[in-house]
Amino acid sequence: MSKTIVVYGSSTGTCEAIAKTLGQKLGANVIEVSSLTDTDVKNADNLVLGTSTWGAGEMQDDWYDGVKVLKSVGLSGKKVAIFGCGDSESYSDTFCGGMKELYDAAKAAGATMVGDNVSTDGYTYDDSDSVVNGHFIGLALDDVNEDNKTEERIDAWLPTLGF
């Protein structure tokens, strides 16, 4: 059986709560990115990486050190999925933009990306760096304004991961 971990960076607790929900549904360990170790990455077959979005669409601050861990260990042979939290009303022009930075880092580290073809249907936002070829590159969630859609979106996304 493959080992899956959920790693998140959260400043307000929203991304943390979603990471815990994902961990429960996947039967996976949940790790706050500032506690991520080389051993955690080496021992995992699958990683679900989550970030909130800050500033002009950047990933959560703790991820900058977390990305260094991912790159130093390498992700070759590992499946990686990305999820992001954003606010589609107040930050409609950078909605879930932090996912793109994390996605690019995981891909550069050699990961096989999964769950990266999420339909934009049903979302309300103006722009997002995390939309490539008309689809989100991971699971985009707005637990501030659309919390009533979070569970449904998670449940639709998880089967696409192939873990």
Side-chain angles (χ1 to χ4, degrees):
M1 181 173 183
S2 62
K3 182 176 179 194
T4 301
I5 60 172
V6 178
V7 185
Y8 70 91
S10 185
S11 296
T12 64
T14 302
C15 196
E16 177 181 11
I18 290 169
K20 288 180 178 178
T21 297
L22 289 168
Q24 182 180 23
K25 289 179 179 276
L26 290 167
N29 290 336
V30 179
I31 303 168
E32 202 283 324
V33 68
S34 65
S35 301
L36 184 66
T37 66
D38 291 0
T39 302
D40 294 326
V41 176
K42 287 176 186 171
N43 290 339
D45 299 307
N46 310 306
L47 296 90
V48 178
L49 310 177
T51 184
S52 48
T53 299
W54 295 94
E58 290 95 29
M59 61 186 172
Q60 194 268 347
D61 286 343
D62 294 329
W63 265 113
Y64 292 97
D65 287 334
V67 163
K68 291 176 187 173
V69 173
L70 299 178
K71 287 182 177 180
S72 72
V73 174
L75 297 174
S76 181
K78 298 179 185 299
K79 291 182 182 177
V80 175
I82 307 293
F83 74 94
C85 302
D87 181 336
S88 64
E89 286 185 18
S90 298
Y91 302 97
S92 184
D93 59 336
T94 60
F95 179 60
C96 287
M99 282 196 305
K100 181 69 163 91
E101 204 170 355
L102 195 50
Y103 177 92
D104 289 346
K107 198 167 183 171
T112 299
M113 304 306 294
V114 297
D116 58 349
N117 193 25
V118 178
S119 174
T120 59
D121 292 347
Y123 288 89
T124 303
Y125 65 97
D126 290 323
D127 195 21
S128 176
D129 288 343
S130 294
V131 174
V132 176
N133 296 324
H135 290 85
F136 284 109
I137 48 83
L139 178 62
L141 298 169
D142 180 351
D143 215 46
V144 175
N145 304 295
E146 298 180 341
D147 59 321
N148 59 321
K149 297 179 181 179
T150 298
E151 191 83 16
E152 177 184 326
R153 287 174 172 163
I154 289 171
D155 289 343
W157 183 63
L158 288 177
T160 71
L161 305 183
F163 296 166

